[in-house]
Amino acid sequence: SNYKNDRVRCFAFFNLTPDASQEKLKNAYLYFAKVHHTDKFAHLPKEHQVLADIQMKRINSIYSFCK
């Protein structure tokens, strides 16, 4: 895959277009991180906590690539 397509998919993950500002990207990241933060799943069964952890790692990784 090429960088441009990866970047488009990266921004799409956060429901943004590739021309979105860094501020919009950061705000989208913070929203996703808040919604999917592992602490929100602490009261649920272990499998939910594991899935939340995987999702948070994915969110962090994609955000790191986008910014």
Side-chain angles (χ1 to χ4, degrees):
S1 65
N2 68 40
Y3 178 79
K4 185 177 180 184
N5 288 340
D6 289 345
R7 196 156 169 80
V8 168
R9 289 200 326 264
C10 168
F11 276 79
F13 176 83
F14 291 109
N15 300 317
L16 298 171
T17 58
D19 61 343
S21 69
Q22 286 295 308
E23 183 179 358
K24 283 190 177 192
L25 176 61
K26 181 179 179 181
N27 288 339
Y29 163 74
L30 292 173
Y31 172 77
F32 274 66
K34 181 180 176 184
V35 169
H36 297 284
H37 196 278
T38 51
D39 289 349
K40 292 199 176 272
F41 298 86
H43 67 287
L44 295 174
K46 186 70 175 170
E47 58 268 17
H48 292 274
Q49 295 173 29
V50 169
L51 291 173
D53 184 57
I54 291 168
Q55 183 68 351
M56 272 307 303
K57 287 177 181 170
R58 184 172 178 229
I59 290 166
N60 288 331
S61 176
I62 293 171
Y63 177 66
S64 291
F65 179 82
C66 283
K67 63 180 188 164

